């Protein structure tokens, strides 16, 4: 640590290639560190024979060293972590297009590589430090910037990265010390894309993603789970719920050309390995979709692809760094060779989203909010390792013991998906201004909205929550609300100056739909933004309600039958004077008409221009 600090101080004063020859630890035997790279430019992982990874300060210093060593590089901070650390972003551009506006003017695809959302899974950082150096300083792959602008988050979950330790990920094969999975307040950033509650994710989405609008996001991880011969696996959303042009780019360009190229570079790539049943390869692989709390589920809502990269924790750290490096290299080669394909795919997806928002026929505005894999499979040549299964008196069941001998088998790959939830997208959403979390989310996600300048009334569609369940155990700081059934009702609603109109003829329409539909898997309803609608606020005293109830029974034979049926079917109800009184109260004119209604309304038509504030 002291030697590294001294080196950084020294080299900062003499930023010259092959400057001093610092006392770096010798490369471990077998580590194929390229000794033609001057010591000054070697990453800490390379210098340590891939035993160590740099801490936050060392990482930032190396990024700034690269910036000082290349005209094509700019280091910026895009926000502050919970513990007050700068969030680092490195921008690579041959044209020195270091702002979003300059980048858009080039017409080039913009690629965002994100490392360390789970900061113990950190090979992406070490791969990127080497890649940035190789492209921008050593100019070994300088041509990769001919048609592309690269944004790199060396470490995303910076605070967790500094909670370093040897015991943060059980059984992980290096580096010696690694960061922690969740942020200091216990939140998993990799569940926070749509709900944007952590300062880190709010900065990433608000200050990077929706300012630069990268055409592609790459999210680097390390998986655990069953062992196999693959050193790098990948995932992406596809099929219903993902724009067709985005799916096409991911399957044609990434899977069709980049993945074979990764294999050509000496790796063993595969779709992300998630077995249908436990750790049993013969049950087949489920290659399905992620919900919008994950990167893969979020970016398609913004009409853009993302790729999840998962190396395997049992593989040596060097293998994992090199696999990630080569995947990124192959990906950039593809984008350099066909930059327009990616730009066109995103433009087509945006065009479709906008056209759907203008569609007059509601039946043609149907969108998919969640999916599952079907039972249809294709054969897949699985590259496993010989596995023994022993009975264990620890687990009381069979435990796999992974060997090193190859084991090959043809297994089913389930990659066809079908919708499990679809809705007809409304013309737009109407949001009363007092529900402030709605405006906050729209602003961070770059969803365009306008405020009312004048009062306006209209018949709208509201979602009545008919059936729901809340989670008993907290999840990501929430007792989440899973809505099982919604009834759409028409109501006359009055809007006031300052209320929000969210039209859906826009690029980010699906973000609004996933935020505001009550049954959406990661919507505001699910994450408790509207919990207060479920509480009954007024009750009737028995002596007040009893005579009114008698009159209601006398006037309404159907109600009387309903009451008698409930008394005989529900003994708890029959024994509770409070519940019996409330039965009549909630059916009386004094009941709260807003209870169990989602406050965000589905518009049947757009408000007239003259009641809205001027469009920006
Ligand atoms: Zn992870």
């Amino acid at each position: 640590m002291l030697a590294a600090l001294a080196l950084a101080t020294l080299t900062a004063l003499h930023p010259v290639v092959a400057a001093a020859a610092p006392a770096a630890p010798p490369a471990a035997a077998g580590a194929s560190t390229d000794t033609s790279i001057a010591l000054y430019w070697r990453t800490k992982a390379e210098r340590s024979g891939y035993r160590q990874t740099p801490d936050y300060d060392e990482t930032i210093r190396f990024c700034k060293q690269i910036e000082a060593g290349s005209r094509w590089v700019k280091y910026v901070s895009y926000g502050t972590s919970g513990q007050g650390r700068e969030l680092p972003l490195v921008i690579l551009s041959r044209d020195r297009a270091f702002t979003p506006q300059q980048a858009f003017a080039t017409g080039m695809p913009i690629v965002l590589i994100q490392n360390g959302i789970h900061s113990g899974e950190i090979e992406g950082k070490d791969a990127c430090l080497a890649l940035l150096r190789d492209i921008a300083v050593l100019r070994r792959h300088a041509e990769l910037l001919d048609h592309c602008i690269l944004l790199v988050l060396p470490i995303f979950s910076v605070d967790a990265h500094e909670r370093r330790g040897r015991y943060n990920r059980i059984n992980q094969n290096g580096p010696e010390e690694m960061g922690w999975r969740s942020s200091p307040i216990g939140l998993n950033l990799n569940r926070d894309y749509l709900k944007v509650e952590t300062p880190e994710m709010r900065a990433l989405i608000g200050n990077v993603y929706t300012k630069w609008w990268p055409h592609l996001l790459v999210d680097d991880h390390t998986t655990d789970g069953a062992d196999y011969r693959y050193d790098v696996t990948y995932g992406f959303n596809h099929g219903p719920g993902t724009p067709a042009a985005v799916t096409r780019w991911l399957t044609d360009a990434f899977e069709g050309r980049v993945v074979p190229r990764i294999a050509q570079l000496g790796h063993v790539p595969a779709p992300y390995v998630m077995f249908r049943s436990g750790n049993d390869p013969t049950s087949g692989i489920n290659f399905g979709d992620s919900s919008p709390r994950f990167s893969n589920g979020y970016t398609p809502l913004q009409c853009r692809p993302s790729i999840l990269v998962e190396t395997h924790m049992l593989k040596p750290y060097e293998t994992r760094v090199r696999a990630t490096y080569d995947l990124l290299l192959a990906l950039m080669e593809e984008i350099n060779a066909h930059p327009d394909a990616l730009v066109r795919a995103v433009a087509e997806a945006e065009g479709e989203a906008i056209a759907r928002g203008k569609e007059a026929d509601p039946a043609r505005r149907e969108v998919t909010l969640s999916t599952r894999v079907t039972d249809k499979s294709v054969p897949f040549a699985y590259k496993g390792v010989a596995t023994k299964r022993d009975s264990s008196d620890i687990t009381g069941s069979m435990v796999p013991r992974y060997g090193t001998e190859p084991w090959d088998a043809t297994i089913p790959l389930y990659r066809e998906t079908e919708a499990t939830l679809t809705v007809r997208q409304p013309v737009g959403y109407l949001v009363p201004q007092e529900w402030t979390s709605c405006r906050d989310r729209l602003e961070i996600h770059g969803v365009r909205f306008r405020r009312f300048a004048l009062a306006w009334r209209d018949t709208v569609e509201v979602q009545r929550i008919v059936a729901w369940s809340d989670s008993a155990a907290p999840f990501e700081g929430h007792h989440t609300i899973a809505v099982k059934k919604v009834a759409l009702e028409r109501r006359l609603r009055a809007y006031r100056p300052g209320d929000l109109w969210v039209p859906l003829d826009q690029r980010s329409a699906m973000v609004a739909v996933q935020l505001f539909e009550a049954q959406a898997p990661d919507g505001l309803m699910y994450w408790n933004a509207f919990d207060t609608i479920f509480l009954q606020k007024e009750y009737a005293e028995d002596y007040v309600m009893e005579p009114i109830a008698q009159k209601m029974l006398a006037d309404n034979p159907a109600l009387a039958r309903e009451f008698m049926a409930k008394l005989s079917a529900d003994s708890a109800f029959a024994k509770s004077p409070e519940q019996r009184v409330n039965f009549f109260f909630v059916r009386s004119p004094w009941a709260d008409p807003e209870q169990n209604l989602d406050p965000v309304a589905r518009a049947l038509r757009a408000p007239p221009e003259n009641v809205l504030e001027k469009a920006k």
Side-chain angles (χ1 to χ4, degrees):
M1 190 71 74
L2 280 174
L5 280 172
L7 167 63
T9 313
L10 178 72
T11 50
L13 296 171
H14 307 282
V16 180
V17 181
S32 49
T33 298
D34 187 339
T35 46
S36 69
I37 299 172
L39 212 43
Y40 176 75
W41 285 112
R42 281 189 225 162
T43 66
K44 181 164 184 173
E46 289 166 344
R47 282 189 278 116
S48 69
Y50 294 91
R51 283 181 291 107
Q52 293 167 354
T53 188
D55 67 15
Y56 171 84
D57 289 337
E58 292 168 321
T59 303
I60 304 298
R61 272 202 301 275
F62 195 78
C63 291
K64 290 183 175 172
Q65 181 184 325
I66 292 174
E67 182 189 38
S70 171
R71 298 187 70 252
W72 302 344
V73 178
K74 183 152 182 76
Y75 170 91
V76 297
S77 170
Y78 63 93
T80 309
S81 72
Q83 292 181 337
R85 291 185 180 86
E86 268 185 13
L87 296 167
L89 170 68
V90 183
I91 307 163
L92 258 77
S93 163
R94 263 182 104 134
D95 302 323
R96 296 173 57 80
F98 294 140
T99 67
Q101 281 61 39
Q102 291 166 346
F104 300 154
T106 69
M108 290 182 191
I110 301 168
V111 176
L112 172 60
I113 303 172
Q114 171 202 294
N115 302 300
I117 189 171
H118 292 146
S119 68
E121 309 168 13
I122 203 61
E123 47 268 44
K125 173 191 67 183
D126 286 313
C128 278
L129 294 180
L131 188 64
L132 293 176
R133 170 204 63 205
D134 292 350
I135 294 175
V137 178
L138 305 182
R139 309 217 166 169
R140 288 184 169 177
H141 309 288
E143 74 285 354
L144 297 181
L145 291 182
D146 285 354
H147 303 110
C148 174
I149 291 166
L150 191 59
L151 309 177
V152 175
L153 305 186
I155 311 168
F156 180 27
S157 192
V158 293
D159 296 344
H161 187 272
E162 296 310 281
R163 182 178 162 176
R164 299 161 69 83
R166 289 172 177 267
Y167 300 100
N168 283 356
R169 281 176 61 75
I170 188 167
N171 217 28
Q172 181 163 288
N173 193 352
E176 286 168 356
E177 290 195 333
M178 67 209 76
W180 187 248
R181 182 173 177 83
S182 64
S183 82
I185 56 169
L187 292 175
N188 185 342
L189 303 190
N190 199 29
R191 304 292 181 272
D192 200 30
Y193 279 90
L194 191 59
K195 69 181 165 66
V196 285
E197 289 182 324
T198 58
E200 295 83 2
M201 189 58 83
R202 292 172 70 83
L204 172 60
I205 300 297
N207 301 338
V208 180
Y209 199 83
T210 61
K211 294 296 181 291
W212 287 86
W213 295 103
H215 296 81
L216 174 66
L217 170 68
V218 185
D219 182 7
D220 290 330
H221 291 250
T222 319
T223 190
D224 28 28
D227 197 13
Y228 39 65
R229 306 212 297 283
Y230 306 112
D231 59 352
V232 62
T233 65
Y234 58 86
F236 53 78
N237 277 28
H238 51 96
T242 303
V246 168
T247 299
R248 212 176 312 124
W249 186 85
L250 285 162
T251 48
D252 294 356
F254 179 70
E255 236 179 354
R257 294 191 290 268
V258 175
V259 172
R261 172 71 178 138
I262 298 166
Q264 210 179 56
L265 291 169
H267 299 280
V268 193
Y272 184 53
V273 178
M274 166 96 74
F275 296 125
R276 271 220 156 174
S277 167
N279 49 32
D280 177 11
T282 61
S283 67
I285 294 173
N286 270 349
F287 189 70
D289 290 335
S290 301
S291 77
R293 72 189 65 168
F294 300 96
S295 56
N296 275 2
Y298 175 71
T299 69
L301 308 182
Q302 299 278 25
C303 303
R304 285 154 162 75
S306 54
I307 298 167
L308 173 76
V309 178
E310 297 269 6
T311 61
H312 198 285
M313 60 139 58
L314 292 175
K315 307 288 180 265
Y317 192 57
E318 179 176 2
T319 303
R320 283 149 47 204
V321 173
R322 289 182 182 279
T324 308
Y325 181 103
D326 284 339
L327 180 144
L328 296 172
L329 189 71
L331 187 60
M332 290 194 65
E333 285 173 357
E334 161 64 26
I335 292 166
N336 186 49
H338 308 283
D340 295 344
L342 178 58
V343 171
R344 268 202 312 270
V346 169
E348 193 182 321
E350 290 186 352
E352 263 173 32
I354 292 164
R356 190 171 55 241
K358 294 182 193 296
E359 178 61 61
D361 177 4
R364 297 176 67 169
R365 297 200 300 259
E366 189 164 283
V367 289
T368 297
L369 301 195
S370 67
T371 66
R372 66 174 165 226
V373 288
T374 69
D375 290 332
K376 260 194 220 158
S377 66
V378 293
F380 179 73
Y382 180 68
K383 294 182 168 71
V385 290
T387 308
K388 261 180 41 187
R389 277 163 213 278
D390 294 336
S391 115
S392 161
D393 50 11
I394 295 292
T395 68
S397 64
M398 304 298 277
V399 174
R401 318 265 187 218
Y402 295 108
T404 50
E405 286 295 297
W407 176 79
D408 292 289
T410 302
I411 64 170
L413 173 63
Y414 299 93
R415 58 177 302 154
E416 186 189 88
T417 57
E418 64 186 2
T420 48
L421 176 67
T422 59
V423 295
R424 282 184 180 180
Q425 180 180 300
V427 173
Y429 291 100
L430 293 152
V431 184
Q433 59 197 298
E434 60 271 25
W435 294 92
T436 51
S437 62
C438 299
R439 195 192 73 230
D440 172 77
R441 299 308 192 274
L442 294 172
E443 283 174 343
I444 289 211
H445 288 298
V447 182
R448 180 166 51 82
F449 64 87
R450 290 169 73 184
R451 287 172 175 277
F452 281 91
L454 302 172
W456 184 63
R457 291 155 72 83
D458 199 15
T459 298
V460 299
E461 216 165 41
V462 295
Q463 304 178 75
R464 172 176 293 283
I465 315 305
V466 179
W468 72 95
S469 64
D470 42 7
S471 66
F475 173 62
E476 294 299 316
H478 289 264
H479 293 273
T480 55
I481 300 276
V483 174
K484 315 279 188 208
K485 193 174 173 203
V486 163
L488 293 179
E489 295 178 5
R490 291 203 172 179
R491 295 280 178 110
L492 183 66
R493 284 279 195 247
Y495 292 94
R496 299 154 45 80
D499 287 345
L500 276 49
W501 161 240
V502 187
L504 292 187
D505 55 344
Q506 60 168 308
R507 150 172 69 190
S508 303
M510 280 306 296
V511 174
V513 175
Q514 288 275 12
L515 284 172
F516 294 142
E517 288 298 321
Q519 296 181 86
D522 279 311
L524 284 164
M525 182 69 76
Y526 179 84
W527 293 111
N528 305 114
F530 304 134
D531 276 13
T532 52
I533 67 167
F534 294 108
L535 184 74
Q536 187 177 335
K537 282 83 176 177
E538 287 285 350
Y539 294 86
E541 294 292 333
D542 53 0
Y543 72 92
V544 176
M545 201 68 227
E546 204 275 344
I548 297 170
Q550 293 289 7
K551 185 165 187 321
M552 287 166 73
L553 284 179
D555 291 350
N556 187 343
L559 181 68
R561 281 195 297 278
E562 192 190 343
F563 182 56
M564 297 312 288
K566 181 119 175 116
L567 285 178
S568 59
D570 185 344
S571 64
F573 175 78
K575 284 186 206 139
S576 164
E578 292 79 18
Q579 285 186 40
R580 290 169 65 149
V581 164
N582 206 46
F583 175 90
F584 292 96
F585 177 76
V586 299
R587 287 162 177 77
S588 78
W590 290 275
D592 178 4
E594 299 301 320
Q595 193 181 340
N596 297 1
L597 291 189
D598 190 318
V600 176
R602 295 163 48 93
L604 297 166
R605 61 183 182 134
E609 271 297 314
N610 67 330
V611 302
L612 296 170
E613 286 183 354
K614 293 251 175 302
K616 279 174 203 149

